[in-house]
């Protein structure tokens, strides 16, 4: 029998502690692959300061942690890292340690890693990512190196000896190729004679325009002069893989969609299967890819047009055969072995996990899984589209309030929170997010918005945000929440908005330019565009050229768009959450906005967390921030959430 209680006042077995699993929990899982006789994967351990642990399972044996604390395999190349560890066939573990960014090896049977790269002149001045072991050079690890010389940053592909000799002799780290401000995805041909990679320069971002470059390798493993096969400042080319010694598979968005091609060494490219879908994702992290080559020469692919689909593509005939994965979404290929493709994926009521999919038999096996709340308390995930201000559809996933224990009074409409993703090129899907269930199981509806600029809907949809950041994203989010209210699903007077990073910018922009929302929560959000342009890290230092406009020409636009300069248009309460070690959106962004809130007499709270960077990883931070958000919503939206500490809001004093 259910209890009648107001939305937001429901009790739930999903606690903030459940969102920050402890040492022995099976997740949250990250990357993983087969090596030797076992399956290896990484998982976040919030209770250990947000470090990543490397786990291994062999056969029916219980999982074993292979890298002891406090070692933390996490790269800071581009600040977002990627492919920070590899395992050799004999079980030797190679990894980049987060604290000093040096590369290490841990031999089987040892508990003490030894360094492979030299000590930098200053901490983390030399960073490594996208580690790989070329078949033609098994005594070396090849990777992307990022070198910081004060404010100047350079990148190249380097080779590091596996015997550890370069740890004391920096000259033994061999620079293979440079020639651009950014380069990713180094791939050596099967015969070891050529290197292919992706390159671009400021002010481009890799989803705007890149080049596929190829160079011959000298006998010592150094690249000669390169030639550009595909790509430009207006064509994004990604994820090259050698098809044979004379041709490559690659993804290009020259038609408006990231489709698969095969190109020879002259740059003559042939489309494998024209399709109105994206066979790639924006490469925020190193090593991202959405296809792998199978033993029989076919390709296992993930394509996205709103939803993700796993399929097998025959490059000779163009035949594309979809595989049925039920409700699994957010499909990300992380590795493969034979006909088994390892995906990180989950469903609306199915835990995110690393799953092995046999593309021949269709068998799906869970290899390592996140913890999942009781399915009875998980919401439905309803894909919906709404008419945007421009007439273009805006895509969203709606998660209505749900609990088997409670129902709301018949005449009451639910409060709703619009969750705005970051990037802003990211993409949300209908997979299980415990943070969403934390709200919906308490009677608070959630809608996740794929506003203009999001990936997964082609280049034109991404490009709709160009020059319009703070305009299109705000308008699209408002269109979604007002659409929910017009449909009788949401209480028009109790709408909230929440987002992190670029999503935090949209939160602050929406609150200072409209009266639609009753409150907002910004996780490390952007408040001051000029301040961000002057202080953010190199990878995104020219991102604003495309999102807003180049400086100094667009300075007036930077001033007029910045939420910091529009606080006079704000009248509702705001919660600011910030990591104090954030190099992407520095704490000054939250602090100057907080000071503006004080000057304007706006109710607010500011929570700053020591040791947190761009994204919260520590258990204490996750718990405190989630409970603070719930208390904040209760105070702003008019309900009393049981069981959480009261968040103290700064309130102007009379007189």
């Amino acid at each position: 029998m259910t209890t009648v209680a107001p939305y937001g006042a429901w009790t739930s077995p999903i606690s903030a502690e459940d969102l920050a699993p402890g040492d022995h929990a099976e997740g949250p899982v990250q990357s993983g692959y087969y090596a030797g006789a076992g399956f290896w994967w990484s998982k976040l351990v919030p209770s250990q300061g947000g470090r990543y642990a490397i786990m291994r399972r062999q056969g029916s044996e219980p999982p074993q942690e292979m890298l002891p604390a406090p070692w933390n395999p996490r790269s800071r190349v581009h600040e977002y890292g990627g492919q920070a560890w590899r395992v050799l066939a004999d079980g030797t573990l190679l990894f980049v340690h987060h604290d000093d960014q040096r590369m290490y090896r841990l031999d089987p049977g040892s508990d003490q890693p030894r360094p492979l790269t030299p000590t930098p002149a200053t901490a983390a001045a030399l960073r490594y990512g996208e580690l790989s072991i070329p078949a033609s050079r098994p005594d070396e690890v090849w990777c992307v190196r990022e070198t910081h010389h004060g404010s100047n940053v350079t990148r190249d592909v380097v080779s590091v000896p596996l015997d550890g000799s370069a740890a004391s002799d920096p000259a033994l780290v061999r620079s293979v190729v440079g020639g651009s401000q950014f380069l990713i995805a180094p791939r050596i041909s099967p015969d070891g004679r050529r290197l292919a990679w992706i390159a671009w320069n400021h002010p481009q971002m890799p989803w705007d325009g890149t080049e596929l470059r190829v160079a011959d390798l000298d006998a010592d493993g150094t690249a000669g002069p390169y030639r550009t096969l595909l790509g430009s400042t207006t064509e994004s080319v990604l994820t090259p893989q050698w098809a044979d010694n004379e041709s490559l598979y690659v993804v290009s968005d020259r038609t408006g969609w990231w489709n698969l091609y095969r190109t020879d060494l002259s740059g003559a490219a042939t489309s494998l299967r024209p399709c109105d879908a994206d066979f790639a994702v924006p490469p925020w992290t190193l090593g991202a890819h959405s296809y792998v080559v199978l033993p029989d020469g076919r390709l296992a692919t993930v394509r996205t047009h709103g939803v993700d689909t796993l399929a097998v593509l025959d490059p000779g005939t163009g035949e594309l055969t979809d595989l049925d994965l039920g409700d699994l979404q957010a499909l990300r290929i992380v590795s493969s072995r034979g006909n088994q493709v390892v995906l990180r994926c989950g469903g609306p009521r199915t835990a995110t996990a690393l799953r092995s999919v046999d593309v021949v038999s269709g068998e799906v096996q869970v290899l390592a899984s996140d913890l999942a709340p009781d399915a009875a308390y998980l919401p439905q995930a309803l894909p919906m589209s709404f008419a945007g201000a421009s007439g273009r559809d805006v895509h969203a996933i709606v998660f209505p309030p749900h609990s088997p224990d409670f129902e709301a009074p018949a005449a009451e409409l639910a409060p709703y929170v619009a969750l705005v993703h970051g990037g802003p090129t990211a993409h949300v899907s209908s997979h299980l997010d415990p943070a969403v269930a934390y709200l919906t199981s308490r009677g608070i509806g959630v809608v996740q918005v794929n506003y203009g600029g999001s990936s997964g809907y082609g280049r034109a949809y991404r490009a709709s945000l160009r020059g319009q950041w703070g305009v299109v994203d705000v308008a699209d989010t408002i269109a979604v929440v007002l659409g929910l209210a017009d449909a009788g699903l949401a209480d028009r007077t109790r709408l909230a908005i929440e987002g992190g990073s670029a999503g935090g910018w949209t939160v602050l922009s929406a609150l200072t330019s409209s009266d639609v929302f009753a409150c907002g929560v910004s996780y490390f959000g952007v408040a001051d565009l000029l301040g961000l342009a002057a202080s953010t890290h190199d990878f995104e230092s020219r991102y604003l050229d495309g999102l807003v406009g180049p400086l100094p020409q667009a300075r007036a636009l930077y001033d007029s768009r910045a939420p910091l300069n529009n606080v006079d248009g704000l009248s509702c309460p705001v919660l600011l959450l910030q990591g104090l070690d954030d190099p992407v959106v520095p704490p000054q962004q939250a602090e100057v906005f907080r000071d503006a809130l004080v000057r304007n007499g706006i109710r607010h709270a500011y929570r700053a967390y020591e040791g947190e960077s761009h994204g919260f990883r520590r258990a204490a931070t996750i718990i405190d921030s989630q409970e603070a958000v719930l208390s904040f919503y209760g105070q702003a939206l008019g309900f009393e959430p049981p069981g959480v500490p009261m968040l103290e809001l700064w309130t102007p004093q009379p007189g």
Side-chain angles (χ1 to χ4, degrees):
M1 182 174 179
T2 57
T3 300
V4 176
Y7 286 119
W10 304 352
T11 59
S12 170
I14 304 173
S15 68
E17 286 81 0
D18 294 328
L19 308 185
D23 295 357
H24 304 293
E26 283 275 0
V29 294
Q30 304 295 324
S31 61
Y33 59 93
Y34 291 99
F39 181 75
W40 298 62
W41 74 95
S42 61
K43 70 170 186 176
L44 182 67
V45 189
S47 61
Q48 295 182 10
R51 71 176 280 264
Y52 287 92
I54 301 293
M55 309 296 294
R56 183 189 68 183
R57 177 184 283 114
Q58 296 194 117
S60 60
E61 297 178 5
Q64 179 182 1
E65 185 168 351
M66 303 304 294
L67 183 64
W71 296 99
N72 185 5
R74 183 175 155 215
S75 169
R76 287 186 59 191
V77 174
H78 298 175
E79 294 299 347
Y80 297 103
Q83 270 188 257
W85 60 279
R86 302 290 294 177
V87 182
L88 306 184
D90 66 356
T92 299
L93 173 63
L94 311 177
F95 68 95
V96 177
H97 181 47
H98 175 262
D99 292 2
D100 61 10
Q101 288 298 287
R102 296 178 75 186
M103 193 189 307
Y104 292 82
R105 68 177 286 165
L106 180 65
D107 293 300
S110 174
D111 61 1
Q112 185 56 49
R114 54 192 179 99
L116 295 181
T117 56
T119 303
T122 58
L126 296 173
R127 307 175 183 185
Y128 308 88
E130 198 159 6
L131 313 186
S132 65
I133 311 295
S136 57
R137 293 181 175 272
D139 296 327
E140 301 172 348
V141 54
W142 286 41
C143 59
V144 175
R145 176 177 64 180
E146 183 177 276
T147 305
H148 291 247
H149 319 267
S151 60
N152 185 39
V153 182
T154 60
R155 296 171 186 86
D156 58 352
V157 173
V158 299
S159 167
V160 179
L162 286 176
D163 62 9
S165 56
S168 56
D169 186 355
L172 295 177
V173 177
R174 185 178 70 254
S175 179
V176 176
V177 71
S180 61
Q181 290 169 314
F182 300 93
L183 69 178
I184 60 174
R187 302 287 184 263
I188 297 180
S189 60
D191 61 8
R193 294 176 52 208
R194 298 183 179 92
L195 178 72
W197 70 99
I198 299 297
W200 72 94
N201 293 303
H202 285 312
Q204 301 302 116
M205 296 300 286
W207 40 89
D208 297 327
T210 61
E211 295 180 1
L212 170 64
R213 296 179 176 179
V214 172
D216 294 335
L217 292 173
D218 297 335
D220 66 353
T222 300
Y226 71 83
R227 52 197 180 277
T228 297
L229 302 187
L230 300 174
S232 67
T233 58
T234 58
E235 178 186 0
S236 173
V237 180
L238 300 172
T239 61
Q241 295 286 349
W242 288 93
D244 53 38
N245 291 323
E246 304 295 328
S247 65
L248 298 109
Y249 296 121
V250 70
V251 173
S252 165
D253 70 352
R254 56 177 54 188
T255 65
W257 297 89
W258 272 316
N259 278 192
L260 276 158
Y261 293 81
R262 185 167 182 161
T263 180
D264 62 22
L265 295 180
S266 72
T270 302
S271 175
L272 300 184
R273 171 65 184 257
C275 190
D276 287 352
D278 283 333
F279 288 79
V281 296
W284 282 99
T285 58
L286 301 174
H289 58 284
S290 293
Y291 72 95
V292 291
V293 182
L294 299 171
D296 63 4
R298 296 182 302 161
L299 308 181
T301 69
V302 170
R303 71 181 188 277
T304 306
H305 190 166
V307 298
D308 297 333
T309 304
L310 179 67
V312 175
L313 173 63
D314 185 328
T317 66
E319 182 181 1
L320 191 65
T321 305
D322 292 347
L323 300 178
D324 184 5
L325 296 182
D327 69 346
L328 295 179
Q329 274 297 296
L331 309 180
R332 293 295 175 263
I333 295 176
V334 296
S335 66
S336 64
R337 183 181 68 173
N339 289 318
Q340 293 178 312
V341 177
V342 178
L343 300 170
R344 187 176 187 273
C345 56
R349 296 183 174 179
T350 305
T352 295
L354 295 173
R355 293 177 167 87
S356 174
V357 181
D358 189 308
V359 298
V360 175
S361 69
E363 180 184 2
V364 179
Q365 178 185 2
V366 175
L367 301 172
S369 177
D370 286 8
L371 290 177
D374 185 336
Y377 293 88
L378 299 178
Q380 288 183 292
L382 307 175
M384 298 180 71
S385 295
F386 300 84
S390 65
R392 167 183 46 76
D393 282 348
V394 183
H395 309 287
I397 311 293
V398 179
F399 300 89
H402 170 75
S403 171
D405 304 326
F406 291 91
E407 59 181 290
E412 186 180 5
L413 291 174
Y416 258 81
V417 178
L419 292 187
V420 186
H421 66 66
T425 61
H427 172 85
V428 292
S429 61
S430 58
H431 70 289
L432 168 62
D433 183 348
V436 169
Y438 179 77
L439 297 176
T440 57
S441 62
R442 288 171 166 78
I444 305 166
V446 172
V447 57
Q448 295 184 324
V449 185
N450 280 319
Y451 51 85
S454 303
S455 57
Y457 300 95
R459 186 178 182 106
Y461 198 80
R462 295 197 313 273
S464 65
L465 197 62
R466 192 166 184 84
Q468 297 296 310
W469 198 35
V471 178
V472 165
D473 48 327
V474 170
D476 283 359
T477 304
I478 288 174
V480 168
V481 295
L482 292 183
L484 288 173
D486 291 344
L489 299 176
D491 186 337
R492 173 65 179 81
T493 67
R494 295 195 293 170
L495 301 173
I497 183 170
E498 175 183 323
S501 189
W505 153 271
T506 303
V507 168
L508 299 180
S509 297
L511 296 181
T512 54
S513 65
S514 77
D515 60 0
V516 170
F517 298 100
C519 64
V521 177
S522 170
Y523 286 81
F524 33 87
V526 177
D528 173 16
L529 286 176
L530 288 173
L532 182 71
S535 63
T536 195
H537 63 128
D538 185 64
F539 178 64
E540 295 181 78
S541 62
R542 300 291 301 278
Y543 196 5
L544 295 178
D545 285 38
L547 291 175
V548 183
L551 288 172
Q553 300 95 313
R555 183 185 178 97
L557 198 55
Y558 279 55
D559 285 331
S560 65
R561 291 261 185 94
L564 177 65
N565 300 329
N566 296 309
V567 178
D568 287 346
L570 175 62
S571 59
C572 66
V574 182
L575 172 59
L576 304 171
L577 302 163
Q578 179 70 46
L580 292 178
D581 295 340
D582 191 340
V584 178
V585 181
Q588 294 90 334
Q589 290 282 322
E591 291 164 0
V592 294
F593 198 78
R594 173 204 58 194
D595 294 344
L597 294 175
V598 171
R599 289 193 300 271
N600 283 265
I602 303 297
R603 295 174 67 214
H604 70 276
Y606 173 50
R607 284 283 225 261
Y609 299 100
E610 295 277 358
E612 292 288 6
S613 182
H614 199 64
F616 298 159
R617 293 176 173 83
R618 300 184 175 206
T621 304
I622 295 170
I623 294 168
D624 183 81
S625 60
Q626 289 290 335
E627 292 185 339
V629 168
L630 184 57
S631 175
F632 175 74
Y633 284 148
Q635 295 179 62
L637 302 179
F639 55 82
E640 295 185 13
V644 295
M646 176 72 74
L647 173 69
E648 182 178 352
L649 296 180
W650 180 91
T651 303
Q653 299 301 310

